Amino acid sequence: MKPFYGLTLAAWLAAGCSQPVQPLTGEAGARMHHVAVVWLKQPGDPQARQRYIEASRPLARLPGVVAYDAGTPAAVRRGRANAALDESYDVAVSAVFESRQAYQQFLQDPEYLRVAQQVLRPLVEKYKLYEFAEPDRP
C-alpha cells in the first residue's frame, strides 16, 4: 500500500509543478526572498569561498535589503543519509527584501550591477537562484 501513496504523492507534486504560478493578492508589497547557490571556478577552495563572501557583503547595505547572509555548506551530521541534501556547492547567499519593488530596484542598483558583474561573476562556474514572496499576513 505504501508504494501507492508514494506514486500518488509524486504525481500530485509533478502536476503542481507544471501549473503556472499566480501571484497572491497583494504580493507586490510582500517581502521577497532571494537564495543563490554558487559553485566557484575553484571548487572547495576556502580562500575563494571567503573572497566571494567578503566581496558580496557590501550588497547588504543597499536600499531595500532587510537581511543578507552568505556562507558555506554547514556539513550537519545526520542520523542517516538524505538524498535531498546537496552539499556540492561552495557558497550560498540568502537575502530578504522589503518588497518585490525593492528587490527589482536592487537588481538595477549600479553598485549591485558592478559587484555582480565585475567582482562576483568572474569567480563563479555556475549558480542557481531561488526566489519567493511571503504571502499576505492576516
Side-chain angles (χ1 to χ4, degrees):
M1 198 62 130
K2 286 186 181 183
F4 172 76
Y5 290 119
L7 290 174
T8 303
L9 178 60
W12 179 73
L13 289 172
C17 291
S18 66
Q19 301 300 318
V21 175
Q22 298 297 321
L24 298 172
T25 304
E27 190 177 84
R31 290 190 347 166
M32 286 289 298
H33 294 253
H34 167 85
V35 177
V37 180
V38 180
W39 289 263
L40 299 175
K41 290 179 180 175
Q42 297 175 300
D45 181 331
Q47 287 86 15
R49 288 174 169 182
Q50 194 58 36
R51 258 193 320 275
Y52 186 97
I53 291 168
E54 291 298 322
S56 75
R57 282 208 173 117
L59 300 177
R61 294 188 295 271
L62 294 181
V65 178
V66 174
Y68 187 93
D69 298 291
T72 58
V76 173
R77 291 186 183 199
R78 290 174 162 65
R80 59 187 172 112
N82 185 335
L85 180 63
D86 180 359
E87 294 179 307
S88 68
Y89 66 95
D90 287 293
V91 177
V93 175
S94 173
V96 181
F97 298 87
E98 293 171 351
S99 64
R100 179 183 302 272
Q101 181 180 3
Y103 178 53
Q104 290 172 332
Q105 290 172 345
F106 173 88
L107 293 174
Q108 300 303 313
D109 188 290
E111 180 62 7
Y112 162 73
L113 294 170
R114 183 192 71 76
V115 170
Q117 294 170 1
Q118 297 175 15
V119 181
L120 300 177
R121 286 198 183 131
L123 302 172
V124 175
E125 180 67 31
K126 73 174 187 171
Y127 62 96
K128 302 256 320 169
L129 302 176
Y130 302 91
E131 298 170 340
F132 64 93
E134 291 181 16
D136 284 340
R137 296 179 189 204

